[in-house]
C-alpha cells in the first residue's frame, strides 16, 4: 500500500524530491580542491573568525551597559554554550570532510530544500558580516586620522540623506574587500599565510594587553565601592551571555574548510577545540584586565581598551591597541571571504545553484569565479550601506544553521545504515553504491552474487549476504535477541516499550521525536520571550505552558535516548547525544526569538527570494534528482509469500520513456 501511494501520488513524489538526501561517493576524501591545511592552519582560521573587533568593542559595551565586571562570567557561559554547537560541527566535519559546512551537513541527513535554505541564509550572513567588518575597519582607521577620509568624501565626492543607506560611499571599505578577494583567489596557501601573519600580530597585541593590563590592575575596581562584581545581578549576567554568544560566531570556517584539510578526521575536531579554547581564554582574560584597570561604569564603549590605557597615563599604548584591532578585523574579513565562496561552490557543485560557481581554477585549486563575484557583491554592500543597518540583519542565519546542524547530528546518529555494503566510517550516510550494483549485474549466476536484496515485513529494503541468510531470517523472525541496528528500540527497553514502539521502522520514532523536540523547543522559548511582555499571560497560564512544553521537550529527548545509536566510529563523536544537541537547539531558538521583528521581516523576504531560486533553478538541476532519473536498470528482490516460500522478482525502475533491456534470473523457475 505504501509503495502504491508513493508511486501514484504526485504530492508524495514532490515531497520526496524536496527531502532527498545527498549521496556521497565511497571515497569521501576525493576532491577537486587542494588538501593542504594542517591542524594549526585550521585552528588559526577559527581564531581569526572569532577574535575580531568584538574583543576591542564588545567587551567594553557589555561590561558598561549589561553585566559590569561579571562580563567575565558572561563570556565563560557563552563559550560553554558555543562549545555545544562547535562539537556538532566538529563531528560532521570529521565524518563528512566536504566543503559547505552547515549546508552540506543538512543535505546528507535532513533533506535538500532544508539544506538549500540553510546555505542560502549562510551566504547572506557571510556577505553582510564581511561588509560590516569592512565598514568597521574603515571607520576605525578613519578615526585614527581624525575622520579626514569621511570629511573629504562628503565634501568632494557625495553625501546621501537616505534611510538605511550610508551618508557617504565608503570607498575604503569596498577597496579592502576587493583587494582581499584578489589575494584569496591566489589559492588556499596564500589565504592561510595571510591569516597567519594577521593572527600572529593580533595575538602579540593581546599578549601585550594582558601583561601590561595586569600590571595596572587594581582590585578596588571590583569592590563594593565601585558597585561590586555583578552590579546588574544574575539577569545582567544572562543578558550579557546572549550578547557575548555572538563573539564566538566564526568557528564554522573550520568545518567549511574540511575539504581542504590534509587529515580532516583528526584536524577538524582538534582545530575546533583549540580555536574555541583560545578565543574564550582571550575574551575572558581581556575583559578581566579591562574591568580591573578602570571602573566599569567609566568605560568608553566605542574604544574601551585604548581609552583605559589613556586614562592610566599610557596614551602610546592606544596605538598598539589600534594596530591589534585592525589586524583582528583583517582576520575576520579573511574568514568571511574564505568561507563564503566555498559554500557557494558546494551548492553549485550539487546543482542547486548556478553551475558557473562550481568551476575550480586548475592552477590555484580554488573557485575563483565564486570568490571574485561574491567578493564584489560584499564590496558593494560595504560601499553603500550603513554599518548599523548591516549589523541588524546578522546572526539569524547563523543561529538557524546551528539549530539544523544540531538536529542533523541526532538524526544521523540514530539513522539506519543506508550504505550498500561498502565499508568505511560513514555509517548512516547515503553513499554511492552504483559501482557495486553494476558488478552484481554483470554476473547473473546466483552463486556468484554475494549480495541479494530482500523485502522485509515493513516494506523496507535490507541486504543479506546470500539466499540462505534470508531463509534463516524467515525461520527466526521472532528472535528478539539478534543484534539491533541504529534507530531500533534498545533491548533493555523492549519489555517496557516494546508493545508501543517495537513495530516502528528503524529511525521512525527518532525522526518524529526530533520534530517534536524542535516544535516544543520553539514553543517553550516563545513563552519565555513573549509570555510576560507581549502576550501578558497570567501567572497560572504562563506556568502551565512552561510545564507542558518542558515536559514535551524532555519526553522527546527520552524517546530518542531509548533507541540504539550507530556504533562508535573512528572519527570524533559528540558526547551525550541527544542531550548536548538538544539543549544547543533550545539555546539557538531562544536567541533567534530575541532578535528584532525587523530582522525577522528581512529574513522572511530573503527566504522567499531563495525559494524562487530553488524552484526556478535548483530543483531542476539537482544532481541528486538527475541521479534518481537515471536510476538502475533493474532491481532484484525476494518476496516472502504467505506459503513461506521465497520468490525472486525483477522490477524495472527506469524512468518511463527510456528504452531498456529486461534482465531475467538465470534459473527459469521463480520459486526456490
Amino acid at each position: 500500500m505504501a509503495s502504491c501511494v508513493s508511486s501514484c501520488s504526485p504530492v508524495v513524489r514532490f515531497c520526496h524530491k524536496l527531502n532527498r538526501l545527498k549521496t556521497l561517493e565511497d571515497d569521501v576524501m576525493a576532491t577537486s580542491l587542494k588538501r593542504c591545511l594542517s591542524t594549526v592552519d585550521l585552528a588559526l582560521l577559527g581564531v581569526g573568525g572569532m577574535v575580531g573587533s568584538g574583543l576591542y568593542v564588545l567587551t567594553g559595551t557589555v561590561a558598561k551597559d549589561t553585566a559590569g565586571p561579571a562580563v567575565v562570567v558572561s563570556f565563560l557561559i557563552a563559550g560553554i554554550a558555543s562549545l555545544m554547537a562547535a562539537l556538532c560541527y566538529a563531528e560532521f566535519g570529521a565524518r563528512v570532510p566536504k566543503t559547505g559546512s552547515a549546508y552540506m551537513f543538512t543535505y546528507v541527513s535532513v533533506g535538500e530544500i532544508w539544506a538549500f535554505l540553510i546555505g542560502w541564509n549562510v551566504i547572506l550572513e557571510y556577505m553582510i558580516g564581511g561588509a560590516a567588518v569592512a565598514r568597521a575597519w574603515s571607520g576605525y582607521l578613519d578615526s585614527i586620522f581624525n575622520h579626514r577620509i569621511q570629511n573629504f568624501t562628503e565634501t568632494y565626492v557625495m553625501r546621501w540623506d537616505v534611510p538605511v543607506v550610508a551618508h557617504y560611499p565608503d570607498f575604503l571599505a569596498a577597496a579592502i574587500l576587493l583587494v582581499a578577494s584578489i589575494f584569496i583567489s591566489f589559492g588556499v596557501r596564500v589565504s592561510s599565510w595571510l591569516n597567519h601573519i594577521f593572527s600572529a600580530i593580533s595575538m602579540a597585541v593581546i599578549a601585550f594587553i594582558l601583561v601590561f593590563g595586569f600590571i595596572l590592575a587594581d582590585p578596588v575596581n571590583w569592590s563594593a565601592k565601585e558597585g561590586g562584581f555583578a552590579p546588574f545581578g544574575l539577569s545582567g549576567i544572562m543578558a550579557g551571555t546572549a550578547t557575548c554568544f555572538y563573539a564566538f560566531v566564526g568557528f564554522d570556517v573550520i568545518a567549511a574548510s574540511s575539504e581542504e584539510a590534509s587529515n580532516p578526521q583528526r584536524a577538524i575536531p582538534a582545530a575546533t577545540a583549540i580555536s574555541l579554547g583560545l578565543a574564550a581564554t582571550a575574551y575572558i582574560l581581556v575583559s578581566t584586565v579591562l574591568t580591573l584597570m578602570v571602573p566599569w561604569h567609566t568605560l568608553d564603549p566605542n574604544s574601551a581598551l585604548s581609552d583605559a590605557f589613556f586614562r592610566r597615563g599610557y596614551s602610546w599604548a592606544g596605538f598598539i591597541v589600534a594596530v591589534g584591532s585592525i589586524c583582528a578585523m583583517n582576520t575576520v574579513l579573511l574568514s568571511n571571504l574564505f568561507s563564503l565562496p566555498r559554500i557557494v561552490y558546494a551548492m553549485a557543485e550539487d546543482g542547486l545553484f548556478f553551475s558557473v560557481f562550481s568551476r575550480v581554477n586548475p592552477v590555484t585549486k580554488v573557485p575563483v569565479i565564486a570568490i571574485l563575484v561574491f567578493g564584489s557583491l560584499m564590496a558593494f554592500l560595504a560601499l553603500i550601506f550603513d554599518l548599523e543597518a548591516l549589523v541588524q540583519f546578522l546572526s539569524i542565519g547563523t543561529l538557524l544553521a546551528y539549530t539544523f546542524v544540531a538536529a542533523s547530528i541526532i538524526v544521523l546518529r540514530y539513522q539506519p545504515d543506508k550504505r550498500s555494503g561498502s565499508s568505511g566510517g560513514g555509517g548512516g550516510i547515503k553513499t554511492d553504491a552504483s559501482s557495486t550494483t553494476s558488478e552484481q549485474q554483470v554476473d547473473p549466476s546466483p552463486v556468484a552474487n554475494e549480495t541479494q536484496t530482500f523485502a522485509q515485513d515493513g516494506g523496507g529494503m535490507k541486504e543479506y549476504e546470500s539466499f540462505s541468510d534470508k531463509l534463516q531470517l524467515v525461520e527466526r523472525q521472532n528472535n528478539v535477541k539478534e543484534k539491533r541496528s541504529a534507530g531500533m528500540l534498545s533491548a533493555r527497553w523492549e519489555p517496557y516499550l516494546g508493545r508501543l514502539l517495537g513495530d516502528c521502522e528503524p529511525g521512525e520514532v527518532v525522526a518524529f521525536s526530533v520534530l517534536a523536540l524542535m516544535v516544543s523547543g520553539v514553543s517553550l522559548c516563545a513563552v519565555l520571550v513573549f509570555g510576560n511582555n507581549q502576550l501578558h499571560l497570567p501567572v497560572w497560564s504562563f506556568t502551565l505552558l512552561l510545564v507542558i512544553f518542558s515536559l514535551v521537550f524532555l519526553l522527546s529527548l527520552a524517546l530518542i535516548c531509548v533507541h540504539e545509536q550507530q556504533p562508535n566510529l573512528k572519527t570524533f563523536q559528540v558526547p551525550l547525544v541527544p542531550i548536548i544537541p538538544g539543549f544547543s537547539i533550545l539555546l539557538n531558538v531562544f536567541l533567534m526569538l530575541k532578535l528584532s521583528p525587523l530582522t525577522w521581516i528581512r529574513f522572511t523576504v530573503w527566504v522567499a527570494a531563495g525559494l524562487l531560486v530553488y524552484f526556478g533553478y535548483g530543483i531542476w538541476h539537482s544532481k541528486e534528482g538527475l541521479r534518481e532519473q537515471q536510476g538502475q536498470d533493474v532491481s532484484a528482490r525476494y518476496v516472502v509469500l504467505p506459503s513461506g516460500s521465497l520468490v525472486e522478482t525483477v522490477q524495472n525502475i527506469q524512468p518511463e520513456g527510456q528504452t531498456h533491456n529486461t534482465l531475467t534470473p538465470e534459473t527459469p523457475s521463480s520459486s526456490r
Side-chain angles (χ1 to χ4, degrees):
M1 178 65 71
S3 61
C4 179
V5 173
S6 177
S7 61
C8 298
S9 172
V11 176
V12 172
R13 290 200 301 269
F14 181 69
C15 292
H16 171 72
K17 279 186 177 182
L18 298 182
N19 291 282
R20 55 195 169 200
L21 304 180
K22 179 177 174 61
T23 302
L24 296 177
E25 300 297 330
D26 287 335
D27 184 10
V28 293
M29 294 293 288
T31 177
S32 58
L33 303 179
K34 185 178 180 180
R35 290 196 178 274
C36 59
L37 295 178
S38 65
T39 303
V40 174
D41 297 330
L42 293 169
L44 288 178
L45 275 174
V47 171
M50 287 182 280
V51 182
S53 57
L55 186 73
Y56 300 89
V57 178
L58 194 63
T59 49
T61 302
V62 176
K64 182 173 183 179
D65 300 332
T66 311
V71 64
V72 176
V73 181
S74 296
F75 273 116
L76 178 62
I77 299 174
I80 295 173
S82 299
L83 181 63
M84 293 191 295
L87 290 174
C88 298
Y89 272 79
E91 175 171 338
F92 260 122
R95 294 181 67 174
V96 189
K98 294 291 184 180
T99 191
S101 190
Y103 156 77
M104 179 64 65
F105 307 155
T106 307
Y107 203 173
V108 300
S109 56
V110 178
E112 183 173 284
I113 189 171
W114 310 108
F116 177 86
L117 291 177
I118 291 297
W120 183 252
N121 281 287
V122 170
I123 286 174
L124 182 65
E125 290 290 306
Y126 278 127
M127 287 180 61
I128 292 179
V133 171
R135 270 275 179 177
W137 184 94
S138 171
Y140 203 95
L141 187 66
D142 195 21
S143 65
I144 296 176
F145 296 101
N146 241 354
H147 300 286
R148 293 179 182 176
I149 300 174
Q150 176 182 348
N151 295 335
F152 178 84
T153 305
E154 291 182 346
T155 304
Y156 298 101
V157 182
M158 65 180 67
R159 175 182 171 85
W160 300 318
D161 291 315
V162 182
V164 180
V165 176
H167 295 303
Y168 68 98
D170 196 335
F171 294 104
L172 184 60
I176 188 61
L177 282 169
L178 292 175
V179 171
S181 299
I182 293 173
F183 273 109
I184 287 179
S185 66
F186 289 156
V188 65
R189 292 308 309 173
V190 175
S191 306
S192 179
W193 278 109
L194 275 175
N195 184 71
H196 284 4
I197 293 170
F198 289 127
S199 295
I201 297 174
S202 178
M203 287 190 288
V205 172
I206 292 172
F208 165 80
I209 292 171
L210 295 178
V211 173
F212 199 36
F214 274 117
I215 293 174
L216 300 176
D218 186 358
V220 175
N221 292 323
W222 281 12
S223 65
K225 178 183 176 182
E226 299 293 346
F229 177 74
F232 298 96
L234 181 62
S235 61
I237 293 175
M238 297 312 297
T241 299
T243 304
C244 294
F245 180 83
Y246 300 115
F248 297 99
V249 170
F251 59 78
D252 53 335
V253 66
I254 299 174
S257 311
S258 58
E259 195 165 338
E260 291 159 293
S262 301
N263 185 7
Q265 284 76 19
R266 293 175 60 89
I268 298 296
T272 302
I274 292 170
S275 60
L276 195 62
L278 288 176
T281 302
Y283 277 111
I284 291 170
L285 291 180
V286 168
S287 58
T288 301
V289 164
L290 179 63
T291 52
L292 283 173
M293 284 176 61
V294 294
W296 61 270
H297 51 81
T298 64
L299 291 171
D300 180 5
N302 296 320
S303 56
L305 283 168
S306 57
D307 181 68
F309 281 111
F310 175 79
R311 290 170 54 195
R312 294 301 298 268
Y314 298 94
S315 56
W316 54 269
F319 176 76
I320 299 177
V321 172
V323 171
S325 177
I326 290 175
C327 289
M329 284 188 275
N330 283 338
T331 61
V332 178
L333 209 59
L334 289 172
S335 174
N336 280 272
L337 284 169
F338 187 88
S339 301
L340 172 58
R342 281 153 178 81
I343 293 177
V344 174
Y345 160 80
M347 296 175 67
E349 182 72 10
D350 292 332
L352 302 186
F353 206 49
F354 305 113
S355 59
V356 66
F357 297 123
S358 65
R359 297 178 185 174
V360 175
N361 186 280
V363 178
T364 61
K365 299 292 184 181
V366 293
V368 174
I369 297 177
I371 292 172
L372 295 180
V373 168
F374 282 87
S376 300
L377 289 174
M378 202 181 290
F380 177 75
L381 290 178
L383 179 69
I384 64 172
F385 285 105
D386 193 9
L387 177 61
E388 184 177 352
L390 291 170
V391 170
Q392 285 179 358
F393 201 82
L394 281 175
S395 301
I396 188 168
T398 302
L399 291 172
L400 184 66
Y402 287 178
T403 303
F404 268 84
V405 169
S408 299
I409 282 290
I410 302 176
V411 172
L412 184 62
R413 189 70 71 84
Y414 291 89
Q415 195 175 60
D417 195 349
K418 295 184 179 180
R419 299 181 306 152
S420 302
S422 59
S423 61
I429 299 175
K430 196 166 109 179
T431 57
D432 188 5
S434 58
S435 59
T436 307
T437 306
S438 301
E439 291 174 2
Q440 292 171 357
Q441 292 176 354
V442 170
D443 187 0
S445 172
V447 178
N449 288 342
E450 292 295 331
T451 305
Q452 300 288 354
T453 307
F454 301 94
Q456 293 181 324
D457 296 337
M461 303 299 297
K462 190 171 181 180
E463 294 187 353
Y464 294 89
E465 292 181 355
S466 66
F467 184 73
S468 60
D469 286 346
K470 181 60 183 176
L471 290 175
Q472 294 174 11
L473 178 69
V474 174
E475 294 172 0
R476 61 173 194 269
Q477 287 179 352
N478 296 325
N479 185 5
V480 295
K481 294 184 178 180
E482 61 178 319
K483 185 177 180 181
R484 295 170 182 264
S485 62
M488 296 181 65
L489 186 65
S490 297
R492 59 181 170 180
W493 294 103
E494 182 73 28
Y496 310 102
L497 300 174
R499 282 194 165 190
L500 183 63
L501 305 176
D503 295 333
C504 297
E505 290 294 320
E508 185 179 358
V509 176
V510 173
F512 175 80
S513 299
V514 171
L515 179 62
L517 183 80
M518 298 190 72
V519 172
S520 60
V522 171
S523 304
L524 177 60
C525 293
V527 172
L528 287 172
V529 174
F530 306 116
N532 286 328
N533 298 328
Q534 283 81 0
L535 300 179
H536 303 290
L537 294 176
V539 175
W540 67 268
S541 61
F542 179 80
T543 306
L544 179 62
L545 290 174
L546 284 183
V547 171
I548 292 174
F549 292 134
S550 298
L551 288 177
V552 174
F553 184 84
L554 295 175
L555 180 62
S556 302
L557 285 178
L559 282 176
I560 296 171
C561 288
V562 299
H563 288 78
E564 292 286 344
Q565 292 190 32
Q566 290 178 7
N568 291 331
L569 305 175
K570 295 180 180 179
T571 58
F572 171 79
Q573 287 188 304
V574 180
L576 300 178
V577 172
I579 297 174
I580 287 180
F583 282 98
S584 178
I585 291 172
L586 197 64
L587 174 66
N588 297 328
V589 170
F590 178 80
L591 293 176
M592 288 174 66
L593 294 180
K594 295 284 285 183
L595 298 173
S596 66
L598 184 59
T599 299
W600 279 97
I601 293 173
R602 293 170 177 171
F603 169 76
T604 304
V605 172
W606 180 251
V607 167
L611 290 175
L612 290 176
V613 174
Y614 176 73
F615 288 110
Y617 181 89
I619 195 172
W620 307 107
H621 296 82
S622 168
K623 289 188 177 180
E624 288 303 316
L626 297 176
R627 188 192 300 270
E628 290 179 356
Q629 289 177 11
Q630 292 171 358
Q632 299 175 350
D633 289 338
V634 293
S635 172
R637 62 176 64 185
Y638 290 92
V639 180
V640 184
L641 296 181
S643 61
S645 61
L646 295 172
V647 176
E648 181 184 23
T649 63
V650 178
Q651 178 184 7
N652 187 347
I653 61 173
Q654 264 192 333
E656 295 180 1
Q658 295 186 11
T659 60
H660 55 273
N661 296 324
T662 303
L663 300 182
T664 57
E666 185 174 344
T667 306
S669 174
S670 60
S671 178
R672 304 190 176 186

